[in-house]
Amino acid sequence: MNRIAVSISRGIARVTDVALGPYQTAVIRIGFAATWLLFLLREFPHRQEMYGPDGPWKWDLAQRLVADNHAFTILMWSDSQVWFEIVYVLAVLSALLLLVGWRTRTMSVLFMVGVLSLQNRSIFMGDGGDNVIHLMAIYLVFTRCGQVWSLDARRARLAREARARGDLPRAGTQDRVGLVLWAALGLLLAAATGAGRLSPGWLMIFWGLWAVQALWWAVGRLARAAEPRILLDVIANAVHNAALLVIMAEACLIYATAGWYKIQGSRWQDGTAVYYPLHLDYFSPWPALSDLLASHGTIVMLVTYGTVAVQVAFPFTLINRRVKNVLLAVMMTEHAVIAVVLGLPFFSLAMIAADAVFLPTSFLRRLGGWAARARGRLFPPGARKLPGQRAQGPRAPEPAEDPHVGFTA
């Protein structure tokens, strides 16, 4: 019984002491923000036909659909052209700022608002990757995805160094930008509440997130003891780790359901499920390449049965790290091939971003080191130096976890 109690206590401490997977959640943040941003920029000339008031999915049809499924979209607050442009620009800016990790807590919420608003306005616009982005945009709100590889992490590191030198007072007193952003969003939320634009459920969610920001800032500035901040860290870590587990389970569920449904399909059983899409004009951006692949029956059969085998087997390989890494590389390669051969780049990017949650930390740290060295070659540290600033040596390695970054304003 003592061993069981010790194991339980260690497990509880593991999920509450730190936010697990800082590099994995950073990759997810970057991957999905980049995918959505590239999609919005790619479809910018066609935005009116896809989500605008003049699209084939008319305003009255969208109203009837939203009234039936109670989906959240702020595009239905007004049918004016100006409001549509504002929402579209908001979606682009939130994706860009979430990509670079500026105010990740706030940007993750605005990113979710942009994704849900556009996708729920016209639910028939997408290729499957939009469903993954839809779900992950919600899950990202509950993660501390700005611990590493973000402007938030850089700002926190500079603040720690300044406090160590005695240049700054206590944490939270200098965050004027966050305070202004929090107040502005509070006014917008109050206006939407007064106009009756939000349902009771979404009112609780948005006001709850807004209140959490206020509580976090107040504890960081006013609390004299460390216990309140530690308690908030414990709660934030538990929520983050639960959301990370949901993201991993969602990725496994996507592959498991896709694999088992393929097994039940006759086209996947007789090995022709890959052959027929290669002859469709919609899925043939490179007709010569599609014809070349379709002309080799052995390759088509191997790809067909290999896809089913990998998707069915992947959730079971998580217990073996080496096998999991091999299948993970195979699936990412397969999605890259789909992006080129079938012309589905955003679907492939979304799936690769979802797969990235299973990448090993050592590989991600090595990848971050490569990116840092490449940035150092392009922008040498001594190239631009502030007046009176001393030359600095090599920067210390980035910490694996920073428990105070995720809930910045």
Side-chain angles (χ1 to χ4, degrees):
M1 293 297 296
N2 289 334
R3 288 196 297 268
I4 295 176
V6 170
S7 300
I8 294 176
S9 63
R10 288 178 178 175
I12 295 175
R14 177 65 174 167
V15 299
T16 56
D17 286 350
V18 295
L20 301 175
Y23 291 93
Q24 285 77 6
T25 50
V27 169
I28 293 173
R29 182 197 86 232
I30 296 171
F32 282 103
T35 302
W36 182 241
L37 176 63
L38 292 175
F39 174 78
L40 294 179
L41 295 178
R42 167 62 180 82
E43 301 300 338
F44 185 81
H46 314 288
R47 65 190 186 281
Q48 296 292 342
E49 292 79 7
M50 298 183 65
Y51 305 112
D54 299 331
W57 191 248
K58 297 298 183 181
W59 174 262
D60 56 342
L61 295 177
Q63 280 187 320
R64 292 167 57 185
L65 179 63
V66 171
D68 182 61
N69 60 14
H70 304 287
F72 172 80
T73 170
I74 63 175
L75 276 179
M76 301 308 300
W77 292 0
S78 174
D79 60 349
S80 69
Q81 179 65 31
V82 176
W83 178 245
F84 167 73
E85 298 294 348
I86 291 174
V87 174
Y88 200 92
V89 171
L90 170 66
V92 172
L93 290 179
S94 62
L96 176 61
L97 294 177
L98 183 64
L99 173 64
V100 299
W102 187 80
R103 310 287 169 174
T104 52
R105 177 56 49 197
T106 301
M107 290 306 119
S108 64
V109 178
L110 296 180
F111 178 77
M112 178 190 68
V113 171
V115 170
L116 298 185
S117 297
L118 292 176
Q119 290 187 354
N120 289 335
R121 168 62 175 86
S122 301
I123 61 174
F124 300 105
M125 299 295 177
D127 52 14
D130 57 317
N131 295 327
V132 181
I133 298 176
H134 191 106
L135 294 172
M136 295 302 175
I138 299 175
Y139 301 152
L140 277 175
V141 174
F142 302 98
T143 62
R144 311 183 78 171
C145 54
Q147 299 176 95
V148 296
W149 297 345
S150 67
L151 295 180
D152 283 349
R154 179 179 180 274
R155 186 176 67 253
R157 176 180 58 80
L158 295 177
R160 288 194 304 267
E161 294 175 355
R163 287 195 299 270
R165 297 191 304 266
D167 295 342
L168 283 179
R170 297 168 56 190
T173 59
Q174 297 293 321
D175 192 11
R176 297 178 180 177
V177 176
L179 184 61
V180 171
L181 184 61
W182 172 82
L185 293 178
L187 292 176
L188 294 177
L189 186 57
T193 303
R197 298 295 187 178
L198 296 172
S199 63
W202 286 106
L203 278 176
M204 293 179 59
I205 292 174
F206 288 129
W207 279 115
L209 294 173
W210 188 82
V212 167
Q213 296 282 30
L215 177 63
W216 194 271
W217 180 85
V219 169
R221 180 174 182 177
L222 303 177
R224 297 183 178 180
E227 287 77 7
R229 188 58 183 261
I230 294 175
L231 177 61
L232 292 181
D233 272 332
V234 168
I235 297 174
N237 291 335
V239 172
H240 165 93
N241 295 330
L244 184 61
L245 178 62
V246 171
I247 291 174
M248 298 172 67
E250 185 70 38
C252 291
L253 183 62
I254 290 173
Y255 283 116
T257 54
W260 287 107
Y261 272 110
K262 285 182 175 65
I263 290 177
Q264 302 175 36
S266 60
R267 298 304 180 192
W268 290 93
Q269 293 177 7
D270 58 26
T272 59
V274 177
Y275 177 81
Y276 288 113
L278 293 175
H279 289 80
L280 298 177
D281 294 336
Y282 183 79
F283 295 109
S284 298
W286 313 98
L289 180 60
S290 299
D291 294 339
L292 178 62
L293 294 176
S295 62
H296 293 79
T298 303
I299 296 179
V300 173
M301 183 191 67
L302 291 176
V303 172
T304 303
Y305 284 101
T307 299
V308 176
V310 169
Q311 291 182 347
V312 172
F314 178 73
F316 301 100
T317 63
L318 297 181
I319 58 177
N320 189 298
R321 183 178 58 183
R322 294 183 178 179
V323 178
K324 181 262 296 182
N325 291 338
V326 171
L327 287 188
L328 193 60
V330 171
M331 289 192 302
M332 288 185 171
T333 303
E334 180 184 12
H335 288 307
V337 173
I338 290 175
V340 176
V341 177
L342 298 183
L344 298 173
F346 300 110
F347 166 79
S348 299
L349 285 175
M351 294 307 303
I352 291 175
D355 295 340
V357 71
F358 299 105
L359 289 174
T361 302
S362 58
F363 171 77
L364 293 176
R365 291 175 67 93
R366 192 179 304 114
L367 185 63
W370 294 339
R373 286 192 294 270
R375 183 184 59 185
R377 293 174 182 176
L378 294 176
F379 306 100
R384 298 182 62 183
K385 186 168 60 177
L386 297 177
Q389 182 181 2
R390 297 180 179 178
Q392 299 179 356
R395 184 175 296 174
E398 196 170 350
E401 283 95 9
D402 187 342
H404 300 296
V405 171
F407 271 80
T408 52

